[in-house]
Amino acid sequence: MDTIGKIFSQLGEYRKQTLLAPLFTLASVALEVAIPFVMGILIDRGISAGDMGQVVLWGIVMLVCAAVALVVGALSGVFGSEAAVGLATNLRDAEFKKVQTFSFSNIDKFSTAGLVTRMTTDVTNVQNAFQMGLIIATRAPITLIVSMAMCVFLSPSMSLVFVVAMVLLGAALFGIMFHTLPMFGKVFERYDDLNASVQENVNAIRVVKAFVRERFENKKFANAAGELHDLFVAAESMLAWNNPVMMCAIYGCIIALSWFGTHAIMNGNLTTGELTSLFGYIMNILMSLMMLTMVFVMLTISAASANRIVEVLEEEPDIVSPENAIMEVPNGSIDFENASFSYRTGTGESTLDSLSLHIESGETVGVLGPTGSGKSTFVALISRLYDVSAGKVEVGGNDVRAYDTEVLRDAVAVVLQQNTLFSGTILDNLRWGNEHATREECIAACQAACADEFIDRMPDGYDTQIEQGGTNVSGGQRQRLCIARALLKRPRVLILDDSTSAVDTATDASIQRAFAEQIPSTTKLIISQRVSSFGACDRILVLDAGRVAAFGTEAELLETCDIYRDVYEAQNKAGSEADFDPLEGGAVDPLSQRYDPAFASELAAAGVAVAGAAAADAAVADAAAQDAAVSDYRSQERGE
Ligand code: ADP
């Protein structure tokens, strides 16, 4: 009941249509039920009495009733559609707005595929059920009641026929529904699985192609679709019995009525006109019954969808700005005090374990660590994308939880590993960083991020259209645009989460130089797999299994930190850009047949292990030397 209330509270400006639709339905039903009655009069007073004047008169009355019923019925359909489509629009809108308030951990709870299904398929289910319910749930019961009353009024004894038919039909329909509804419940669960699998496949299509997994994916999809097909066929076959049962009831009634009616007419207890009216009403009664069962099925099916929508609407965002929030981040200093964190949806183990460290405002800090050591989680806590489970994180000397979240996130710019561009021009994308940025400011940011040289080569320069997801720029170009976008925020803290992985070493170095010159007071955190990215860093933080393994200058780390020294030597020995972890290194994109390190992140994100080491985009690497370096590191890790 609560769910229905919550769904209807989204009707908003469509309340008027929601009221008008059943009102117009009511009017059209009233006219429709009058028609068999008028027909009876026409037969008795006109045809039986041989009075042509009466035939014409009642014929015109019938025509007017039918015409008005048609117009009013059509209008009720229009209002019904407007109300249902309006409700769906508002529901989608409300869900979308709610999702914008979600923290990462709220999104983790539902999963991206789950949220998409809840905003599309589930809303469509509710829309269809509402549209059907609005018209038929008014029409069917009223037609049923009025037709039954008319039957009793015309001939109480003849009405026994429909009572018997209704009991039999009701029992049969109930039996069918009883078996069908649980089947439909399962059908919609399968829909969720199917949607999730399609979304996963389409998102990771390049990975599927890289691993020649098309046949496997086809089979996986065919199995899921096959299961859905079987369930649907079983449910629909059961439901198909509705029709023959209905027909049996209708023809049974016609035969019984003809038999008993003829006798009643011969005995003078019924007129021919009354019998004709009875035929009409009995049809109405049985049809209404059938429609009611259909509405019942539809409403039950959509109840699951309505619940899923309400779950999203009722989800409390777990990261919100406090009252009297601090509205300015004074500087870019960062402090972790015994900060621990574990993911709600994870294994429950601590991803970060009692981290304590201090970073000065304006310092440039490199962050290094094996995959899964908690680097991305570490930086996510700084812009409060997640809240710590224990301890605290401070930016500019204040707890991040004390800031207005928008103020904090404006001050802490993060260029994520999985960076995304949106459809629109390059300038539009850059202005995500600062909507008021002038063209000149955008160009300056692109120069700092070394993005200007490739933008200048594009046909429309800064006005070049970016396709959805940024598919018409390379991985490295996308990364540079995202860095420029973050720079436009003029942040207190700039975090690059492995976001120069697809950029060659020389460009990487010039980006770092530009940072040092153009944003000297901004604290810079640079997560990278390659030690060469740390050239401009004041200090380097080494994370291992969610703990600080070491934190100091490069010279100190080379002295004291085994992990750093091993990686440093492995990468320098290879004389190339051998990566810290081969799984996140790079891969050859089968579509372009070119090496694309960003594609490697995609593979890693899809949970696929890439065999073989990386070959950098511009700096040509010696694959054999890299393999040796990496296996060297691995053996050392294993203590061999
Ligand atoms: P890194 O950036 O060093 O590769 P992450 O911070 O991404 O490491 O991940 C640290 C650990 O947390 C990993 O074991 C990973 O599986 C887990 N993890 C990361 N993101 C999530 C998430 N959204 N939900 C549950 N576990 C996660």
Side-chain angles (χ1 to χ4, degrees):
M1 220 45 213
D2 205 29
T3 307
I4 297 175
K6 190 88 191 169
I7 294 277
F8 283 163
S9 69
Q10 298 296 330
L11 269 171
E13 66 274 35
Y14 297 98
R15 282 206 183 86
K16 193 177 90 188
Q17 285 88 333
T18 309
L19 275 179
L20 286 177
L23 277 180
F24 274 70
T25 310
L26 216 70
S28 96
V29 170
L31 290 161
E32 279 167 28
V33 289
I35 290 174
F37 190 70
V38 178
M39 174 78 124
I41 299 177
L42 185 145
I43 291 173
D44 288 343
R45 298 194 194 163
I47 300 175
S48 303
D51 183 343
M52 201 52 200
Q54 288 288 324
V55 172
V56 172
L57 173 70
W58 292 107
I60 291 172
V61 172
M62 259 179 77
L63 260 178
V64 172
C65 281
V68 178
L70 188 79
V71 173
V72 174
L75 281 176
S76 79
V78 171
F79 290 132
S81 311
E82 277 179 8
V85 175
L87 175 67
T89 310
N90 287 354
L91 279 176
R92 256 184 228 118
D93 202 40
E95 278 193 275
F96 190 79
K97 284 201 177 110
K98 189 75 188 203
V99 171
Q100 302 308 305
T101 67
F102 280 4
S103 69
F104 277 24
S105 108
N106 290 116
I107 293 173
D108 289 345
K109 180 179 157 189
F110 289 105
S111 86
T112 314
L115 283 173
V116 171
T117 316
R118 284 165 205 255
M119 274 189 258
T120 50
T121 319
D122 285 329
V123 172
T124 310
N125 282 346
V126 170
Q127 175 188 331
N128 289 341
F130 183 56
Q131 183 166 358
M132 210 171 161
L134 213 51
I135 310 286
I136 299 179
T138 322
R139 172 177 289 271
I142 293 175
T143 313
L144 190 74
I145 293 165
V146 176
S147 302
M148 274 161 49
M150 292 302 283
C151 278
V152 176
F153 171 72
L154 286 169
S155 168
S157 56
M158 285 293 144
S159 303
L160 275 179
V161 171
F162 80 71
V163 174
V164 174
M166 259 182 71
V167 171
L168 291 178
L169 185 66
L173 292 181
F174 178 78
I176 294 170
M177 292 307 127
F178 188 76
H179 281 99
T180 322
L181 284 179
M183 287 187 195
F184 273 114
K186 283 192 200 136
V187 163
F188 282 90
E189 276 169 28
R190 288 281 173 284
Y191 255 131
D192 275 359
D193 294 347
L194 200 73
N195 280 352
S197 112
V198 170
Q199 198 186 0
E200 188 181 77
N201 180 281
V202 173
N203 276 346
I205 190 74
R206 303 204 321 161
V207 183
V208 172
K209 292 207 173 296
F211 287 84
V212 201
R213 298 281 283 181
E214 290 96 330
R215 207 171 299 157
F216 172 80
E217 286 293 316
N218 275 341
K219 210 161 138 200
K220 196 170 94 183
F221 180 82
N223 282 347
E227 269 182 46
L228 188 64
H229 166 271
D230 294 345
L231 267 174
F232 240 128
V233 169
E236 291 287 348
S237 315
M238 191 64 90
L239 211 59
W241 281 100
N242 258 356
N243 244 356
V245 167
M246 186 72 203
M247 288 303 149
C248 281
I250 290 175
Y251 288 113
C253 277
I254 291 176
I255 293 169
L257 259 189
S258 309
W259 177 261
F260 295 115
T262 320
H263 280 87
I265 290 171
M266 287 200 301
N267 295 338
N269 295 333
L270 197 71
T271 65
T272 320
E274 283 170 343
L275 183 64
T276 318
S277 305
L278 278 174
F279 276 131
Y281 288 124
I282 290 223
M283 286 290 260
N284 278 350
I285 289 171
L286 299 180
M287 280 302 197
S288 312
L289 214 60
M290 177 137 161
M291 283 198 273
L292 273 181
T293 58
M294 296 303 290
V295 171
F296 182 62
V297 174
M298 196 73 200
L299 290 181
T300 317
I301 289 171
S302 70
S305 292
N307 275 331
R308 282 200 293 259
I309 294 171
V310 170
E311 268 172 22
V312 175
L313 296 179
E314 283 185 340
E315 174 76 5
E316 284 300 326
D318 56 9
I319 293 186
V320 285
S321 303
E323 274 178 40
N324 305 320
I326 304 174
M327 298 307 283
E328 204 197 327
V329 179
N331 60 60
S333 68
I334 299 168
D335 291 274
F336 275 65
E337 282 179 28
N338 285 319
S340 298
F341 176 78
S342 54
Y343 284 100
R344 262 211 295 192
T345 49
T347 52
E349 278 175 31
S350 276
T351 304
L352 293 179
D353 200 5
S354 295
L355 237 59
S356 291
L357 52 92
H358 171 74
I359 296 172
E360 292 288 339
S361 181
E363 214 179 340
T364 303
V365 173
V367 184
L368 181 89
T371 306
S373 57
K375 301 182 297 292
S376 300
T377 312
F378 166 71
V379 293
L381 295 183
I382 300 172
S383 57
R384 211 185 161 207
L385 296 175
Y386 291 100
D387 267 342
V388 282
S389 320
K392 69 172 170 177
V393 177
E394 290 182 348
V395 172
N398 298 309
D399 192 321
V400 288
R401 288 168 292 195
Y403 286 109
D404 179 87
T405 47
E406 235 172 82
V407 168
L408 177 72
R409 287 181 195 153
D410 265 345
V412 181
V414 187
V415 184
L416 290 172
Q417 207 169 15
Q418 297 290 319
N419 41 36
T420 313
L421 293 173
F422 296 84
S423 39
T425 64
I426 288 185
L427 270 184
D428 292 340
N429 269 282
L430 291 170
R431 285 184 180 136
W432 271 67
N434 172 8
E435 56 183 317
H436 304 298
T438 61
R439 196 180 175 92
E440 287 64 39
E441 283 169 331
C442 291
I443 294 175
C446 287
Q447 281 164 349
C450 292
D452 58 327
E453 41 94 10
F454 77 83
I455 298 175
D456 287 339
R457 274 187 276 121
M458 290 185 148
D460 297 319
Y462 284 80
D463 298 310
T464 306
Q465 280 289 330
I466 299 283
E467 302 291 334
Q468 193 190 11
T471 45
N472 59 338
V473 284
S474 79
Q477 292 170 341
R478 191 159 60 222
Q479 290 190 334
R480 280 178 272 174
L481 281 175
C482 290
I483 293 172
R485 181 172 70 184
L487 281 177
L488 278 168
K489 276 182 149 184
R490 302 235 134 250
R492 294 266 188 230
V493 179
L494 174 67
I495 298 169
L496 303 188
D497 187 351
D498 214 4
S499 37
T500 49
S501 59
V503 174
D504 61 87
T505 333
T507 313
D508 193 5
S510 18
I511 294 175
Q512 311 270 352
R513 251 196 322 276
F515 282 175
E517 284 163 14
Q518 297 195 11
I519 45 166
S521 60
T522 298
T523 309
K524 291 155 288 266
L525 291 186
I526 296 158
I527 299 183
S528 182
Q529 300 285 350
R530 44 190 198 197
V531 287
S532 64
S533 298
F534 302 141
C537 290
D538 300 312
R539 285 191 292 168
I540 296 161
L541 169 68
V542 181
L543 285 179
D544 191 23
R547 288 167 184 269
V548 177
F551 190 22
T553 61
E554 182 162 67
E556 283 167 2
L557 293 188
L558 284 172
E559 286 261 315
T560 57
C561 178
D562 290 345
I563 299 180
Y564 189 77
R565 199 173 40 240
D566 288 346
V567 177
Y568 183 88
E569 282 170 6
Q571 293 192 357
N572 282 312
K573 194 156 59 176
S576 66
E577 293 305 320
D579 287 297
F580 183 92
D581 189 317
L583 303 191
E584 281 203 347
V588 173
D589 177 354
L591 297 184
S592 62
Q593 292 302 315
R594 281 185 59 238
Y595 167 75
D596 179 359
F599 175 52
S601 316
E602 239 175 271
L603 296 173
V608 180
V610 183
D617 214 347
V620 182
D622 176 346
Q626 283 191 25
D627 274 344
V630 171
S631 63
D632 235 27
Y633 170 69
R634 287 281 181 231
S635 341
Q636 282 169 21
E637 243 199 345
R638 287 194 300 268
E640 287 167 14

